[in-house]
């Protein structure tokens, strides 16, 4: 007698659900604080984790990230994405903008466009730091950190962040801020991820440089 195909399919789905539940139960969260040299909280620090054993999970298809232009600034100032992600650059200002990157990880140009326009998204397919400028307004700048790992998050204004869904194991945890640029290495620690992890702290040896703003009239 042939097995019932519907029942077999249900068994496969149940097995996948059980495996996913077990895998999720072995995942953990890591709490991180980021500080400047004076002990003050640091925002816009990207913290990312790379497993030392085992392969990274395959990239999932995600909608484009967004870096908009508003009040004569790029927002957000710092963006972290996984390699293979697209980014849109909509213009919400009354002024025209001309978006350009000279970075080796992704050189591109979106020529002058006006308010209400969202050009075709740009694919960021190589890991590395990409600095984005407006050629018409030289104070406008944004930073895109393109990563191979899917485990990353950016610190908030309180210098706090939480890395979720980390499978148990050993990781290299790195912390990067725009003031490091692409020359200085990020801060790093090797830690073991388990169910109950001791919070991690990264303290930089500088005070962040204030973000450039529009030139006075």
């Amino acid at each position: 007698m042939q097995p019932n195909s519907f029942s077999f399919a249900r068994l496969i789905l149940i097995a996948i659900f059980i495996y996913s539940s077990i895998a999720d139960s072995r995942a953990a969260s890591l709490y991180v604080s980021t500080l400047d040299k004076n002990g003050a909280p640091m925002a816009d620090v990207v913290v990312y984790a790379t497993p030392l054993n085992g392969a990274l999970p395959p990239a999932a298809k995600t909608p484009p990230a967004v870096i908009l232009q508003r009040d004569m600034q790029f927002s957000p100032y710092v963006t972290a994405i996984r390699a293979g992600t697209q980014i849109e650059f909509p213009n919400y200002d009354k002024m025209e903008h001309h978006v350009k990157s000279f970075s080796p990880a992704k050189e591109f140009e979106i020529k002058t466009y006006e308010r209400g326009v969202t050009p075709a998204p740009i694919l960021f397919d190589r890991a590395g730091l990409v600095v984005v400028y407006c050629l018409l307004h030289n104070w406008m700048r944004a930073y895109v950190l393109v990563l191979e790992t899917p485990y990353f998050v950016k610190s908030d204004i309180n210098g706090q962040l939480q890395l979720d869904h980390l499978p148990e194991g050993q990781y290299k945890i790195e912390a990067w801020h725009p003031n490091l640029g692409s020359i200085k290495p990020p801060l790093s620690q090797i830690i073991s991820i388990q169910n109950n992890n001791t919070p991690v702290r990264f303290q930089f040896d500088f005070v962040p440089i204030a973000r450039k703003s529009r030139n006075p009239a």
Side-chain angles (χ1 to χ4, degrees), residues 96-100 109-113 133-136:
E96 294 179 334
H97 292 298
H98 187 139
V99 179
K100 174 70 176 175
E109 182 174 14
I110 307 175
K111 294 185 177 180
T112 305
Y113 59 106
Y133 303 88
C134 175
L135 294 186
L136 301 179

Side-chain angles (χ1 to χ4, degrees), residues 1 3 30 39 43 53 118 137 155 160 164 184 190 200 209 215:
M1 178 183 248
L30 180 68
N53 301 302
T118 300
H137 310 101
S155 64
Q160 302 295 313
D164 291 324
K184 294 182 180 179
I190 304 296
V200 170
I209 300 170
N215 296 330

Side-chain angles (χ1 to χ4, degrees), residues 45 52 80 159-160 202:
V45 176
L52 298 182
Q160 302 295 313
F202 285 101

Side-chain angles (χ1 to χ4, degrees), residues 142-168:
Y143 293 85
V144 180
L145 190 62
V146 187
L147 301 164
E148 296 288 357
T149 176
Y151 309 121
F152 57 82
V153 71
K154 186 176 67 173
S155 64
D156 60 21
I157 59 173
N158 298 311
Q160 302 295 313
L161 58 92
Q162 180 178 327
L163 266 172
D164 291 324
H165 308 298
L166 290 170
E168 292 183 353

Side-chain angles (χ1 to χ4, degrees), residues 99-146:
V99 179
K100 174 70 176 175
S101 166
F102 302 93
S103 301
K106 187 64 182 182
E107 185 173 353
F108 69 93
E109 182 174 14
I110 307 175
K111 294 185 177 180
T112 305
Y113 59 106
E114 60 189 11
R115 181 177 186 172
V117 173
T118 300
I122 303 297
L123 175 65
F124 290 74
D125 51 359
R126 292 177 56 192
L129 173 62
V130 180
V131 186
V132 181
Y133 303 88
C134 175
L135 294 186
L136 301 179
H137 310 101
N138 61 11
W139 65 88
M140 291 178 62
R141 190 170 301 181
Y143 293 85
V144 180
L145 190 62
V146 187

